[in-house]
């Protein structure tokens, strides 16, 4: 998939261009340049490996926001089958930034819900830039209750900068909608697997984020506030977003070390935006593994484990 390189990816982009020119020259002029091409390919592989094994938190944030990164419905296309979308919250209307419905992953029938962003202006307006309204969270809970009734697991895919902060959302009580979801998801009598695909912003992410197993894609981030927002508060300027991202420990590897997530889902070298299919296969494999673990429990054991999981968040043991 052709993508526009991020700033730190520029050395890779330049080497790829050089390699392309070498191959074109070799082919068009019928010259044996196999040694030069092999050396360039090795240099490209080494450069890519060096960059992507030493990513900073801010660089991961940039990857998480990449417009060519796979979104919720891309995962549905590649990792799920027989998706049947359901609409409406039965109160206000439908929210296109929070699609959901019945699907099958592997041999398991599930209900899948998630935030959906857009790649161009038209789609972003339809999807509200991935920021759900109250009716999105109420629709999500309606589908979860349906999953509970039919004894189907719930798969939640988180990818939002935050819930929509507009006047209409406040009038329709966005805070209550999210808070109600938090309570009801804690008590839901069916397995819940949540995965942060890209951005996991604030209460907008938590509104579908209470789960038995919380996963994160390798280059996703999960935070109470954006790095830019934190920098504006603490440093009085958004230019300090890279320092804020590092200080907040919002990247998947950091959250894994803090035991705030259950597993980091690996992405292909170069990030998920370079290979949607392989990324979805990795996602599917890890989701099925954790789903099988949760399904081994009785309902009582599952609810108790879910409760204890969140009780342990924020524990600190001094030396």
């Amino acid at each position: 998939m052709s993508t526009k390189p991020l700033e730190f990816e520029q050395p890779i982009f330049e080497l790829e261009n050089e390699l392309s020119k070498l191959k074109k020259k070799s082919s068009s002029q019928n010259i044996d340049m196999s040694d030069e091409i092999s050396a360039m390919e090795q240099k490209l592989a080494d450069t890519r490996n060096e960059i992507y094994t030493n990513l900073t938190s801010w660089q991961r944030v940039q990857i998480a926001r990449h417009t060519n990164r796979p979104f919720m419905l891309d995962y549905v296309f590649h990792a799920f089958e027989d998706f049947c979308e359901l609409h409406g919250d039965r109160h206000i209307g439908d929210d296109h930034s929070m699609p959901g419905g019945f699907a099958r992953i592997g041999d398991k029938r599930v209900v899948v819900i998630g935030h959906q962003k857009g790649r161009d202006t038209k789609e972003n307006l339809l999807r509200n830039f991935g920021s759900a309204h109250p009716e999105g969270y109420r629709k999500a809970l309606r589908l979860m209750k349906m999953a509970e009734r039919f004894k189907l697991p719930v798969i939640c895919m988180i990818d939002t900068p935050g819930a929509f902060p507009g006047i209409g959302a406040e009038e329709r009580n966005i805070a209550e909608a999210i808070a109600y979801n938090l309570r009801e998801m804690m008590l839901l009598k069916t397995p819940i697997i949540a995965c942060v695909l890209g951005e996991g912003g604030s209460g907008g992410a938590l509104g579908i984020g209470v789960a038995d197993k919380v996963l994160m894609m390798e280059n996703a981030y999960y935070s109470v506030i954006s790095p830019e927002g934190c920098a504006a508060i603490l440093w009085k300027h958004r230019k300090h977003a890279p320092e804020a991202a590092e200080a907040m420990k919002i990247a998947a590897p950091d959250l894994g070390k803090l035991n705030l997530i259950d597993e980091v889902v690996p992405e292909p070298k170069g990030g998920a935006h370079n290979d949607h299919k392989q990324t979805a296969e990795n996602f599917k494999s890890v989701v099925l593994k954790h789903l099988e673990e949760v399904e081994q429990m009785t309902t009582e054991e599952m609810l108790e484990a879910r409760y204890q999981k969140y009780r342990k968040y924020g524990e600190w043991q001094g030396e």
Side-chain angles (χ1 to χ4, degrees), residues 24 40 97 111 119 139 193 229 257 307:
K24 188 175 181 180
M40 184 63 70
S97 61
V111 166
R119 289 200 166 87
K139 175 173 71 171
I193 307 294
K257 291 174 185 176
Y307 172 74

Side-chain angles (χ1 to χ4, degrees), residues 7-247:
E7 184 179 352
F8 65 89
E9 293 178 311
Q10 197 61 36
I12 298 172
F13 180 70
E14 291 171 359
L15 287 172
E16 286 175 337
N17 281 341
E18 289 182 30
L19 179 60
S20 178
K21 289 176 183 177
L22 276 178
K23 288 181 176 179
K24 188 175 181 180
K25 182 178 180 180
S26 176
S27 175
S28 63
Q29 300 183 16
N30 197 24
I31 302 172
D32 182 9
M33 303 184 71
S34 55
D35 289 343
E36 291 88 342
I37 290 172
S38 179
M40 184 63 70
E41 287 175 336
Q42 185 60 51
K43 185 177 181 181
L44 175 60
D46 291 344
T47 302
R48 183 181 284 118
N49 187 63
E50 181 181 354
I51 288 174
Y52 281 99
T53 53
N54 295 287
L55 290 171
T56 66
S57 294
W58 178 240
Q59 287 169 341
R60 292 188 191 277
V61 169
Q62 291 176 282
I63 296 174
R65 294 171 174 171
H66 202 293
T67 54
N68 280 338
R69 191 171 176 82
F71 297 148
M72 182 263 188
L73 291 177
D74 296 314
Y75 283 91
V76 169
F77 177 78
H78 289 293
F80 294 80
E81 297 176 53
D82 303 328
F83 178 57
C84 177
E85 186 173 356
L86 302 176
H87 300 272
D89 70 339
R90 301 300 185 264
H91 293 283
I92 300 295
D94 196 26
D95 187 347
H96 295 292
S97 61
M98 184 81 79
F102 294 114
R104 185 162 51 85
I105 182 168
D107 60 351
K108 298 182 183 297
R109 293 172 61 241
V110 299
V111 166
V112 57
I113 303 161
H115 301 101
Q116 174 67 19
K117 296 179 177 178
R119 289 200 166 87
D120 55 37
T121 302
K122 183 178 179 180
E123 192 179 1
N124 267 318
L125 290 174
L126 173 68
R127 303 294 181 181
N128 204 39
F129 296 86
S131 295
H133 293 82
E135 45 270 29
Y137 292 99
R138 292 181 177 126
K139 175 173 71 171
L141 185 59
R142 180 176 76 83
L143 299 186
M144 292 178 203
K145 291 289 188 180
M146 190 179 295
E148 181 182 55
R149 190 178 313 128
F150 293 117
K151 296 181 170 54
L152 299 176
V154 176
I155 310 296
C156 295
M157 291 188 270
I158 299 164
D159 192 8
T160 180
F164 186 58
I167 293 175
E170 294 294 343
E171 289 175 341
R172 299 191 299 278
N173 214 339
I174 185 72
E176 184 271 346
I178 292 173
Y180 193 69
N181 277 24
L182 298 182
R183 186 188 74 181
E184 294 302 304
M185 290 182 78
M186 187 61 74
L187 302 172
L188 201 71
K189 295 177 181 177
T190 197
I192 311 172
I193 307 294
C195 183
V196 183
L197 304 180
E199 293 188 278
S202 193
L206 287 177
I208 58 168
V210 177
D212 300 293
K213 299 289 183 177
V214 179
L215 316 173
M216 279 185 74
M217 301 306 296
E218 184 179 352
N219 293 311
Y221 78 90
Y222 204 4
S223 173
V224 70
I225 191 172
S226 70
E228 294 92 336
C230 177
I233 294 169
L234 297 183
W235 282 273
K236 310 303 180 187
H237 202 290
R238 292 163 65 93
K239 70 179 182 181
H240 293 284
E243 296 100 302
E246 191 63 41

